[in-house]
Each structure stands twice: as C-alpha cells, then as structure tokens.
Amino acid sequence: QSYALNNSAATSSSSPRNNNDVLLRSTLRFVTNILHESCTAQDMLRDIKFDEHLGSEKCGVHVVLSCTGLDMNKGRSAQLVREWAVVAIRNMLDGNAKNRELVEKLQVVERGKANERDAAFDHRGASP
C-alpha cells in the first residue's frame, strides 16, 4: 500500500484537489530522498527538460524550486509541499556545482508579470 492510502489527511477528503496535493507531496518527498547524497540523481534532475517545444530551458530543478512558491493560504498540504521542496533544494544543491551554478543564474519572476512560456510551474506541475 502507498503512503497516500494510509495517510489520514488523504482519506479525509476525496476531492480531486486534495488527491493532487497528496500526490504532489508524496512525489516530492520521494524525489527529496532520492536526491540525498546522490550526484547521479542530482544530475538527472537537472537533465530532465520541460517545454522543449517552446524553446524553454526549464528542467527538474525549476520544478522543485517552483514548489516553494505555493500559496500558503491553501492549507496544510501546501505548507508540507513547500517544506519538502526546501529539503529537496538542499539535497539537489549539496555537492553539485552545476546545479548551484544553474540556481545562481536564475532571476526571481513575479507570477503576474511572467508570460506564459516563462512562468514558473504551478503546484500541479503544469504551466499556468
């Protein structure tokens, strides 16, 4: 059985929104643990490309970073996703100069001012 099926928060509501939040949180927790002290996994996260058909350079690092920008007013689930994202960031940067260099080059973009192609991924992992 998966963690989500045994999690009381997951079973307290069967709404699609809650199920998506549980899936995101569980996936992020899994990725966080895989990244721990694994240069191979850290490099793979950087090598995963998204939106290539739009000419974008977004990768898995961008997806993890975007999880820190969730609306904290959306409840405990969003807060837990953010906390797992913070630990994932630590793990993906630990001992990985290329990932650090990538993050150092990034600029903060306000969601309202970013165009659709350059906007950060939302909490469902799709472009807004």
Side-chain angles (χ1 to χ4, degrees):
Q1 291 180 341
S2 72
Y3 174 80
L5 295 177
N6 294 326
N7 185 341
S8 61
T11 58
S12 64
S13 172
S14 62
S15 73
R17 169 101 181 152
N18 189 45
N19 290 339
N20 288 339
D21 291 346
V22 170
L23 178 61
L24 174 61
R25 186 175 66 235
S26 297
T27 302
L28 190 56
R29 187 181 64 204
F30 174 75
V31 168
T32 299
N33 286 299
I34 294 296
L35 292 170
H36 186 257
E37 297 182 358
S38 172
C39 288
T40 302
Q42 294 166 351
D43 291 343
M44 287 177 67
L45 184 72
R46 186 184 60 255
D47 293 340
I48 296 171
K49 302 295 182 199
F50 295 93
D51 290 340
E52 286 181 1
H53 62 285
L54 297 174
S56 175
E57 294 296 322
K58 288 189 177 83
C59 66
V61 171
H62 296 90
V63 174
V64 171
L65 291 171
S66 72
C67 291
T68 63
L70 296 178
D71 182 2
M72 292 299 107
N73 295 323
K74 291 187 178 179
R76 180 163 167 75
S77 186
Q79 293 169 357
L80 289 171
V81 167
R82 183 178 183 279
E83 294 305 314
W84 277 110
V86 169
V87 178
I89 291 167
R90 182 239 177 244
N91 288 351
M92 76 181 179
L93 299 178
D94 187 36
N96 194 306
K98 288 183 180 180
N99 283 356
R100 287 183 185 185
E101 182 180 326
L102 174 67
V103 171
E104 287 172 0
K105 290 180 182 178
L106 295 176
Q107 297 178 4
V108 176
V109 177
E110 292 182 41
R111 236 177 228 272
K113 294 182 181 180
N115 66 34
E116 191 169 307
R117 189 188 101 191
D118 294 327
F121 283 14
D122 72 4
H123 70 281
R124 291 179 300 278
S127 295

